[in-house]
Amino acid sequence: MKKEQEIYYTKDVPVPETPEPGTEPEPWGKTRIIGERVPRVDGYERVSGSAVYPSDVMLPGMIHGAILRSPYPHAVVKSVNIEKARNMPGVRAAISMDSPGADLQWPYNKEVSTKLFDPRCLFEGETIAAVAAETPYQAMDAIKAIKVEYDVKPFVVDERKALKSGSVEVHEGGNRLKTATHERGDVEKGFAEADEVVEKTFRTECEIQTPLELHGCVANWDGDRLTVWESTQGVYSVQSKVAQVLKMPLSKVRIIGHYMGGGFGSKLNASKYTIIGALLAKASAKPVKMFLTREDAYIAVGNRPPSNMTVKMGVKKDGTLTAIQLKGNATGGAYPAGGTALIDWLFRDLYTCENVRTEMTDVYINAGPARPFRAPGHPQGSWALEQMMDMLAQKINIDPVQIRLKNIPKVSQAREGNPPYTSTGLEECLRKGAETFGWDRARKEAEANNKKDGHIKRGVGMGGCVWIVGGGGPPSTVVVKYFSDGSVNLNMGASDIGTGTKTVMALVVAEELGVKPSVIQIENADTGTTQYATPSGGSKTVPTEAPTVRNACIDAKQQILKMAAEDLGLDVEDRDAEDLRFEGEKVVSKSDPSKSVKIKEIKKLNKRGLVMGIGYRGPNPENKTVNPFAAQFCEVEVNTRTGEVKVLRFLGAHDSGRVMDRLTYDNQVFGGITMGIGFGMTEWRVLDDGQTGKMLNKNWHDYKLPTALDVPMDMTCVPIELHDHEANNTGAKGLGEPVTIPTAGAIANAVNHATGLRFTDTPINPIFVSRMQDKTRAAEKAGKEALSKEARNKEEG
């Protein structure tokens, strides 16, 4: 006979106190399960293949969609003929700009929109037509049979050239979208007061999200109701966009996204393919699976914008920053897509400085629009700022860690009114990170090694960061159903984007109700059955949803206490009911522990079957700001003969408030560092600037993602666990973004420490290392020749 599953924890830690209705709960003290290393609650489903991702969805009679995209970066479509494609074997539907119902507007933002199938193609990958057929191969064959007449136009795919006089105009009126400026204090005065001033120009290349699961959906109509299984970070944001474009009531659009194979910001909203899939499903009267090819995912669904930054900074001999100036540009592609968004934030907010001026220009080019990408703008800014901090430290002969410690902020300098942080862990990140890494010893050992003859050089580097968000906030709604046997159903709209959101929320329920995660059933990410939630992204999911889940649990406990009071003969409306304590398996009188009732024996609960607790996310603290901080340290080895750079070890010290699940916490840190290594060392979009304007490396073979061979075996996570009780009732802040911000800059500083070479452009790979070494040798040779010539002239004179 099967043994009955255990429901309650027996760990000798009390269940958190239940606050009175309308009052805030006390911060957690010692916890039962929060902060432990707990495997994913859906780990088996993910590794066994039983988890159904949107790309796994198979429906009866389902057919497959494909999209024809512009092969040119700039062209006007003069005509489209889909008749041959329509009549090919297996084809059930074909649509283009001339098809009934396909003349729809596609809003890029509130100000700018284009057409679903726009005759004016401003980037390679713009949608032209689409088909649906019985097999993916038939759909692709049909796409190739569509005849399109193009008027091919000149193009510009480099934002630096796009700003030059006489450049091809992407839009009428020029390529300069907007210039954003920020200024405080007197920058010129700050430079005048500086003992040393450094100025340098930096560039970061475009990075592509390229998640494991491709972008796409399955669309199915049932009468006038549309259901879409979408690989998305936010089902409600997709629902809103689909309903807007198709002019449908929200109640008739259902989006489901229980699992998602990566997004990194590129799946925060609906895409054109979602609408096209729905139109093909309507035209064919069949469910349509519409997933992009890997090549299309490189050019049409987002990127991290390339950037160019000229930075000038001043410092006193004691390490005090006196002035920071940033002037640069970046591009979000052919449409407004936040090309310069947040690149300047670290310059404005990370280190204390009274005199700051930033100016960033967003530029149009003929390339695919950008989308948010893990910590938008911050890695680009960090690449420049963290190298500048090291250069200033070298100028005044101070340790890189010490110059940062000298300029720790206590308030947010970039926000109006300079609100204080609810918690500031940057100093602890720097000190504890350096201590655990063995910073001083590692620097000395590397310098001693580099004095020896040999072509293998070693160096250590570091960088700090703050992430602009990370505090979450409303709106969010969660429902917790507490059944009469003590088991629980957790209902929330948030997507688990692979970071362990479902696991963390289950741990909050387990902590608050005293039950085991194994008896918690989770329903999530379905606009038809779950509660409203904003998209999972920006490191706001845990600090938004976890307090909401806790509030729902508290609401359930308050109802159970009232029920238990009746069974114990207490006046529910009287203060006597407040004498009761919820202890997981039972309710006990605080004043008389002999008075108790087991949860399973509460009469009203058994009669009703369950209690439904509803939680809402409360507001963030007024006049304060919630931000996570971090410092990362690394050691590299450089082969000066081949230019190969090998990362030997990495350490991330992160202040993201309370650690909810140490296992998922560590994984976030290691994953973010891995992505930062890609940004700094291996990844860049290559566009043919001369002949075609096309992307030349739109596949996993030519676009070099970091592999296990590029990532160090020695990776350490050091949580700086400041329980931020002002931020929210769980004390947690965001983690997913800051873990990738300082990585690339830290590597660049380590390479400089090893070689003396300053790499201002990403990526640092053998090609660019060798080029830099050649330039350095040429400069040294030229300098020696000049000195020799000067000496000869003196002798002859």
Side-chain angles (χ1 to χ4, degrees), residues 62 121 147 180 220 224 292 369 371 399 640 740 742 744 760 775:
M62 186 180 76
C121 302
K147 294 183 178 180
N220 186 41
D224 63 349
L292 273 57
R371 290 189 180 181
D399 184 89
T640 57
T740 204
T760 57
K775 287 181 181 179

Side-chain angles (χ1 to χ4, degrees), residues 523-555:
E523 299 171 347
N524 78 303
D526 182 342
T527 62
T529 62
T530 63
Q531 312 310 306
Y532 181 83
T534 51
S536 294
S539 298
K540 42 72 64 182
T541 307
V542 166
T544 295
E545 306 301 332
T548 314
V549 172
R550 188 180 182 198
N551 289 338
C553 292
I554 290 170
D555 184 35

Side-chain angles (χ1 to χ4, degrees), residues 46 197 228 313 324 343 407 531-533 562 594 596 616 627 651 655 694 702 740 747 763 772:
R46 290 180 182 272
V197 175
V228 178
M313 295 175 64
I324 300 174
I343 290 175
N407 297 281
Q531 312 310 306
Y532 181 83
K562 284 188 176 182
S594 65
S596 67
Y616 301 97
N627 295 98
L651 180 145
D655 159 34
K694 296 167 71 69
D702 297 318
T740 204
I747 293 170
M772 180 68 78

Side-chain angles (χ1 to χ4, degrees), residues 58-81:
M58 299 290 289
L59 300 178
M62 186 180 76
I63 59 178
H64 301 266
I67 298 173
L68 175 67
R69 298 180 180 274
S70 169
Y72 304 107
H74 195 186
V76 174
V77 176
K78 300 177 71 175
S79 66
V80 181
N81 189 331

Side-chain angles (χ1 to χ4, degrees), residues 547-622:
T548 314
V549 172
R550 188 180 182 198
N551 289 338
C553 292
I554 290 170
D555 184 35
K557 290 199 295 184
Q558 289 168 344
Q559 296 177 56
I560 289 169
L561 289 180
K562 284 188 176 182
M563 294 178 180
E566 292 183 15
D567 287 3
L568 294 172
L570 301 175
D571 188 342
V572 176
E573 304 301 326
D574 191 62
R575 299 288 296 179
D576 289 345
E578 296 169 15
D579 178 53
L580 298 181
R581 173 177 170 78
F582 182 95
E583 290 192 353
E585 190 174 3
K586 59 186 177 180
V587 174
V588 180
S589 168
K590 298 176 188 174
S591 59
D592 184 2
S594 65
K595 287 186 177 181
S596 67
V597 58
K598 290 185 177 181
I599 296 294
K600 294 180 180 180
E601 296 174 358
I602 297 176
K603 295 176 182 177
K604 185 173 283 188
L605 178 59
N606 275 288
K607 186 175 182 179
R608 284 176 48 177
L610 61 85
V611 163
M612 184 179 292
I614 302 177
Y616 301 97
R617 177 59 157 89
N620 286 341
E622 291 186 10

Side-chain angles (χ1 to χ4, degrees), residues 261-281:
F264 313 115
S266 67
K267 296 178 181 177
L268 286 168
N269 213 319
S271 298
K272 284 188 176 183
Y273 59 76
T274 313
I275 306 300
I276 293 171
L279 293 179
L280 287 170

Side-chain angles (χ1 to χ4, degrees), residues 177-227:
L177 170 58
K178 64 179 180 180
T179 298
T181 60
H182 167 84
E183 188 164 0
R184 66 171 179 262
D186 187 335
V187 172
E188 299 307 326
K189 178 172 176 286
F191 285 128
E193 293 174 349
D195 293 316
E196 296 287 351
V197 175
V198 174
E199 185 171 10
K200 201 79 172 176
T201 297
F202 300 85
R203 173 172 174 79
T204 62
E205 294 291 346
C206 178
E207 186 182 20
I208 311 295
Q209 289 93 340
T210 186
L212 184 62
E213 183 182 33
L214 291 162
H215 294 68
C217 67
V218 174
N220 186 41
W221 291 88
D222 183 3
D224 63 349
R225 296 178 182 274
L226 172 64
T227 300

Side-chain angles (χ1 to χ4, degrees), residues 216-520:
C217 67
V218 174
N220 186 41
W221 291 88
D222 183 3
D224 63 349
R225 296 178 182 274
L226 172 64
T227 300
V228 178
W229 290 260
E230 176 102 4
S231 182
T232 178
Q233 296 174 238
V235 291
Y236 279 95
S237 65
V238 173
Q239 180 198 42
S240 177
K241 190 74 168 280
V242 170
Q244 176 190 359
V245 174
L246 295 179
K247 297 180 173 58
M248 294 175 63
L250 289 167
S251 61
K252 294 193 175 184
V253 178
R254 180 182 180 186
I255 310 297
I256 303 171
H258 297 147
Y259 290 91
M260 190 204 68
F264 313 115
S266 67
K267 296 178 181 177
L268 286 168
N269 213 319
S271 298
K272 284 188 176 183
Y273 59 76
T274 313
I275 306 300
I276 293 171
L279 293 179
L280 287 170
K282 175 72 79 173
S284 64
K286 286 182 172 291
V288 170
K289 176 174 280 190
M290 173 64 75
F291 271 81
L292 273 57
T293 64
R294 179 61 62 189
E295 291 78 9
D296 287 350
Y298 271 99
I299 58 178
V301 285
N303 57 69
R304 189 189 297 284
S307 68
N308 307 279
M309 300 162 284
T310 298
V311 185
K312 184 178 180 182
M313 295 175 64
V315 66
K316 289 183 176 294
K317 289 180 180 179
D318 67 354
T320 303
L321 298 178
T322 62
I324 300 174
Q325 178 176 284
L326 164 70
K327 185 172 183 179
N329 58 71
T331 176
Y335 290 96
T340 58
L342 303 180
I343 290 175
D344 65 346
W345 189 259
L346 294 177
F347 296 91
R348 295 163 54 186
D349 209 41
L350 178 55
Y351 299 118
T352 300
C353 186
E354 294 180 356
N355 309 300
V356 178
R357 179 196 299 147
T358 64
E359 178 184 305
M360 289 295 295
T361 299
D362 202 343
V363 185
Y364 287 127
I365 63 170
N366 293 114
R371 290 189 180 181
F373 191 165
R374 201 172 193 170
H378 287 55
Q380 297 100 302
S382 177
W383 171 258
L385 177 60
E386 292 308 305
Q387 292 200 66
M388 287 293 292
M389 291 296 287
D390 266 37
M391 293 166 71
L392 291 172
Q394 290 168 1
K395 279 282 188 180
I396 60 173
N397 196 28
I398 189 174
D399 184 89
V401 173
Q402 295 304 315
I403 193 173
R404 290 167 173 85
L405 287 170
K406 182 70 177 179
N407 297 281
I408 297 290
K410 297 298 181 185
V411 300
S412 177
Q413 305 163 91
R415 291 178 171 88
E416 186 175 352
N418 299 141
Y421 298 108
T422 53
S423 62
T424 313
L426 181 57
E427 181 176 350
E428 290 90 333
C429 288
L430 290 165
R431 293 190 185 280
K432 187 66 176 178
E435 177 188 344
T436 308
F437 184 79
W439 173 258
D440 293 336
R441 175 184 52 77
R443 279 180 67 85
K444 291 176 182 176
E445 289 178 355
E447 288 163 5
N449 172 78
N450 298 340
K451 290 177 181 177
K452 301 175 185 177
D453 290 335
H455 62 281
I456 302 297
K457 305 297 181 183
R458 286 200 174 192
V460 295
M462 56 82 55
C465 82
V466 63
W467 166 235
I468 188 174
V469 196
S476 173
T477 304
V478 166
V479 169
V480 166
K481 295 178 184 177
Y482 190 95
F483 294 100
S484 58
D485 66 350
S487 61
V488 180
N489 170 278
L490 170 61
N491 183 288
M492 61 181 185
S495 298
D496 189 326
I497 59 177
T499 55
T501 297
K502 288 192 288 186
T503 302
V504 170
M505 301 312 146
L507 297 190
V508 175
V509 174
E511 188 67 44
E512 199 65 33
L513 297 181
V515 299
K516 293 188 173 183
S518 58
V519 300
I520 302 170

